[in-house]
Amino acid sequence: MKLSSYIHGRISRKLLAFFYGIIRRTRYFNGTSRQFFKLTLDYLLVQLNLNQDIPFLFVAVIVGLLTGYVAVVFHDAIVTISTLSFTGLRSFGKHTFIDDYWKVLLPFIPAFGGLIVGLYNAFIVKARPGHGLASVIKAVAQNDGIIDRKLWFHKSITSVVSIGSGGGGGREAPIVQVGAAIGSTVAQLLRFSPNKTRTLLGCGAAAGLAAVFNAPIGGVMFAVEVLLGDFSVKTFSPIVIAAVIGTVLSRSFLGNSPTFQVPEYALVSNTELLFYCLLGILAGLSAVMFIKIYYAIEEWFQRVEKRWKIPVWAMPAIGGLMSGVICIWFPGLYGFTYEAINNAVHGSESWNNMIGIYLFKPVVAGLSIGSGGSGGMFAPAMKMGAMLGGMFGNIVHMYFPAITATSGAYALVGMGALTAGIMRAPLTVILILFEVTGQYEIVLPIMFAAVTSSLIARLAYRHSMESYVLEKEGVRVGFGIALSVAEHISIAEVMKTDYVTFSDSESAANMIDVFFNTPESSFLVTDNQGMFSGIISLDEMRALLREDLLVGLIAEDIVKKDVPVLYETSKLDEALKLFEISDYDMLPVLDTNNGKLLGVVRQEEAFAFYRKQLNLYGSDQYESQRS
């Protein structure tokens, strides 16, 4: 009784204090009502203190819920539009003109969908559609994770219309972009820091992919491996929570069955790994072919638009019409259906369809998306890979039936291998394939082929699907950093010489006063010749103080020696990458020749300098575009 009264009294005091703060503000406030509301909202956010770890997890739950609901609506809307556009339209015209000329009219369905998308982008969004995942990666690296607040809505509309009307793209990448935009929007509304904004962006992306694939682990790995490049616990935990929430919500509406119903496969013999390795090599080369064909078609559309002065809103209709003509002979090329993949993994797809879909899938994706439509590359890559694996599996099983599985197993592995080659993210693909199939026995071949494919694709062509367009825009990214900007900045520009240093023979007792009288949290240790020995952090000293273990110790006893270091010839991008993947807030800079300590680079100052240069780079780009 006393406890409940105390809690009730504490909550009442908090509410009274909050409203008293508002009343006190109104007495002396001379601005507009809108300005007052904004200040009050800022005051409320400060009181909630959502930047703290535990409250931030609740925000991740909200992002997971929002993205999960959008993913469910997204899925159902695509199914509804595709059903109305094809099955419904044909049944409406049974034994009439529509049924008699159905094959002739078929290409006009994706053309009409492309026209709607083109008009929507030109007159409502008033901007060209960006490259989905590439724009998200760019936002992480260059814009502190900030994405236009309306993007999630616009992207949902255009993707649903484009894919549902027969576009060649998949629904996975658009929902990732939509989820990322939702996470970024929530972060902007709550005035979060750049680090928290990027993390919430990853939460939305992971929840979206997890919801649409029913694959929470794969969604998490995609967010941290492909988008953020950050595996730290502070980033990982909220992303896991958001992905779980998105998956649970999706399962409650769309069911708990795997995306693909796959028969049980297993590794028949150890020798079979050689065939999976060969499949990985073919998948890597096919991934390069996919990327080159897609961007060749996209750049062809850009040249045609400029040369013939075609309105930008008409281009997706032209691309839709051309892709629709190809789909007359190969309906499996449509983006809204996975029937061809399911047939291939069951070993029942015909050779005619496998050859046609394998050859024309990058063409149809380029025609429908490269022309200005909307869709992603996950499904096209998986479909093309399944056809490659199915053909390869048929051949090897024909000649080596005793030591190989049936073609369905190779279709399944090929699906993952080619996707890994396009994305250059084998770990993400391995986990997604495991979750969407529910087959643990096939994981070993998928691991082998996916890593091989990614390696071969990287050796054959340095660009992934996203890095190609980013480098065309002058952006090279890694670890969530715009490397193209940071790699040209010398470490000497951010190095400082005001730091605290101890000799390795300094007694721990003598260091205590310095620890308590300086704002530094890391301290450098050198030997008698000025050679760098290591770092002592404040956290380590606090642990020793709690245990009363300092008596008789010297700096050499407690120094941490396995510390990442920089050299005078290093560039800023190296420092930023080390800060991203390590827990240090200060890194030493050493002389290249003799290893002597020259100075330090502090994390906060390095990122501040990087953001300043990034803003200057952005303004230069803007001015060059205007001139």
Side-chain angles (χ1 to χ4, degrees):
M1 185 70 179
K2 288 183 179 180
L3 181 60
S4 61
S5 300
Y6 171 76
I7 294 173
H8 181 266
R10 186 179 180 186
I11 294 174
S12 299
R13 289 198 307 275
K14 288 282 186 182
L15 288 173
L16 285 173
F18 174 69
F19 286 111
Y20 172 72
I22 294 177
I23 294 170
R24 187 175 59 187
R25 287 164 177 264
T26 58
R27 292 181 61 187
Y28 304 103
F29 188 76
N30 296 321
T32 64
S33 58
R34 185 175 180 179
Q35 291 171 330
F36 174 74
F37 175 77
K38 185 177 181 301
L39 285 174
T40 304
L41 178 62
D42 290 340
Y43 177 68
L44 175 61
L45 293 177
V46 170
Q47 295 301 311
L48 291 174
N49 201 12
L50 296 175
N51 268 295
Q52 296 298 314
D53 290 340
I54 299 301
F56 187 71
L57 294 180
F58 287 102
V59 179
V61 170
I62 294 172
V63 171
L65 285 171
L66 291 174
T67 306
Y69 275 117
V70 172
V72 170
V73 174
F74 192 87
H75 172 273
D76 289 345
I78 289 175
V79 172
T80 302
I81 291 178
S82 62
T83 303
L84 291 174
S85 299
F86 293 89
T87 308
L89 182 61
R90 192 171 189 183
S91 62
F92 173 77
K94 197 71 174 174
H95 305 302
T96 64
F97 175 83
I98 293 178
D99 192 54
D100 294 337
Y101 295 94
W102 178 245
K103 282 195 173 182
V104 177
L105 296 175
L106 202 57
F108 290 95
I109 298 175
F112 181 69
L115 180 62
I116 294 175
V117 170
L119 291 170
Y120 187 90
N121 284 327
F123 298 104
I124 297 179
V125 183
K126 296 180 180 179
R128 285 180 177 271
H131 294 81
L133 293 182
S135 63
V136 175
I137 295 171
K138 186 176 179 180
V140 172
Q142 283 199 337
N143 203 28
D144 290 334
I146 295 175
I147 299 175
D148 184 2
R149 295 184 186 183
K150 298 178 182 178
L151 176 67
W152 71 270
F153 179 78
H154 295 320
K155 191 66 178 178
S156 299
I157 298 291
T158 55
S159 298
V160 164
V161 172
S162 184
I163 299 168
S165 62
R171 65 175 182 262
E172 294 79 17
I175 195 60
V176 166
Q177 190 179 6
V178 168
I182 290 173
S184 177
T185 299
V186 171
Q188 292 174 61
L189 291 174
L190 297 178
R191 303 341 187 244
F192 279 149
S193 65
N195 285 337
K196 297 289 186 183
T197 301
R198 285 191 289 264
T199 301
L200 272 192
L201 179 150
C203 289
L209 191 64
V212 77
F213 263 139
N214 192 11
I217 303 174
V220 170
M221 191 53 59
F222 172 81
V224 298
E225 183 182 23
V226 178
L227 298 182
L228 303 181
D230 183 0
F231 289 82
S232 64
V233 175
K234 286 187 176 181
T235 300
F236 198 75
S237 301
I239 290 176
V240 168
I241 288 176
V244 169
I245 296 297
T247 306
V248 169
L249 195 61
S250 174
R251 286 178 178 177
S252 64
F253 286 95
L254 304 178
N256 192 23
S257 59
T259 307
F260 304 108
Q261 301 297 327
V262 181
E264 289 190 9
Y265 292 121
L267 192 66
V268 176
S269 67
N270 293 333
T271 309
E272 195 176 13
L273 283 175
L274 295 175
F275 294 113
Y276 284 118
C277 179
L278 181 57
L279 176 59
I281 294 172
L282 295 175
L285 297 175
S286 299
V288 173
M289 181 182 78
F290 186 105
I291 296 170
K292 289 189 173 183
I293 290 175
Y294 175 85
Y295 282 113
I297 294 173
E298 181 182 76
E299 290 163 0
W300 177 80
F301 272 111
Q302 293 169 357
R303 291 194 301 271
V304 167
E305 180 188 340
K306 290 180 180 179
R307 181 175 180 181
W308 298 101
K309 303 287 193 293
I310 300 175
V312 65
W313 51 264
M315 297 306 293
I318 296 171
L321 181 65
M322 295 171 71
S323 67
V325 170
I326 300 175
C327 290
I328 291 176
W329 290 277
F330 303 105
L333 292 169
Y334 287 125
F336 59 81
T337 173
Y338 288 144
E339 184 179 357
I341 295 179
N342 278 314
N343 289 341
V345 298
H346 282 86
S348 59
E349 189 60 274
S350 68
W351 268 95
N352 183 54
N353 276 343
M354 285 193 292
I355 294 172
I357 294 173
Y358 172 77
L359 292 176
F360 287 106
K361 190 58 199 178
V363 176
V364 168
L367 290 172
S368 56
I369 304 171
S371 61
S374 188
M377 291 300 123
F378 264 110
M382 292 167 66
K383 198 169 288 186
M384 183 179 177
M387 301 305 109
L388 171 66
M391 292 186 291
F392 181 83
N394 272 321
I395 293 173
V396 298
H397 190 65
M398 181 188 304
Y399 289 103
F400 306 99
I403 60 172
T404 60
T406 57
S407 65
Y410 287 88
L412 182 61
V413 173
M415 178 170 63
L418 200 141
T419 307
I422 285 177
M423 294 176 55
R424 311 290 163 83
L427 186 56
T428 295
V429 172
I430 290 165
L431 292 174
I432 288 178
L433 261 292
F434 166 61
E435 290 186 284
V436 300
T437 61
Q439 294 287 325
Y440 178 76
E441 291 78 8
I442 205 71
V443 167
L444 186 62
I446 288 176
M447 290 172 65
F448 202 56
V451 172
T452 303
S453 172
S454 183
L455 179 62
I456 293 297
R458 186 177 287 110
L459 291 173
Y461 192 57
R462 68 189 182 91
H463 292 300
S464 68
M465 201 74 205
E466 288 74 37
S467 69
Y468 179 87
V469 66
L470 287 173
E471 291 206 18
K472 274 182 66 178
E473 298 174 7
V475 179
R476 195 166 69 85
V477 298
F479 298 87
I481 302 163
L483 300 178
S484 51
V485 176
E487 67 184 1
H488 298 296
I489 301 172
S490 172
I491 205 67
E493 297 185 52
V494 290
M495 185 182 75
K496 302 293 183 183
T497 55
D498 54 328
Y499 53 89
V500 179
T501 181
F502 298 115
S503 68
D504 52 12
S505 59
E506 189 77 49
S507 69
N510 291 338
M511 291 189 290
I512 293 298
D513 290 338
V514 179
F515 271 91
F516 287 120
N517 290 284
T518 179
E520 297 282 8
S521 58
S522 296
F523 304 86
L524 306 180
V525 177
T526 60
D527 62 15
N528 295 330
Q529 286 75 41
M531 307 288 287
F532 175 73
S533 295
I535 288 179
I536 299 176
S537 70
L538 188 58
D539 291 335
E540 292 162 351
M541 290 297 293
R542 284 172 177 163
L544 290 170
L545 282 169
R546 281 197 300 270
E547 300 298 329
D548 195 23
L549 297 173
L550 289 176
V551 178
L553 294 178
I554 60 173
E556 188 178 7
D557 298 326
I558 57 177
V559 67
K560 185 178 288 186
K561 296 187 178 182
D562 54 338
V563 176
V565 299
L566 300 166
Y567 294 93
E568 56 184 337
T569 55
S570 300
K571 301 295 183 182
L572 180 59
D573 65 316
E574 184 180 345
L576 297 181
K577 286 187 283 186
L578 288 174
F579 282 130
E580 286 288 344
I581 63 177
S582 70
D583 295 327
Y584 294 98
D585 58 3
M586 176 192 293
L587 293 174
V589 180
L590 309 183
D591 188 300
T592 309
N593 298 319
N594 54 32
K596 286 191 175 182
L597 182 63
L598 300 177
V600 297
V601 175
R602 295 181 176 87
Q603 184 180 39
E604 184 178 349
E605 294 172 348
F607 276 98
F609 188 87
Y610 161 70
R611 284 190 288 269
K612 179 181 177 181
Q613 296 302 313
L614 201 59
N615 291 334
L616 292 174
Y617 173 83
S619 63
D620 289 344
Q621 292 285 91
Y622 175 71
E623 291 298 331
S624 64
Q625 290 172 5
R626 290 184 60 188
S627 58

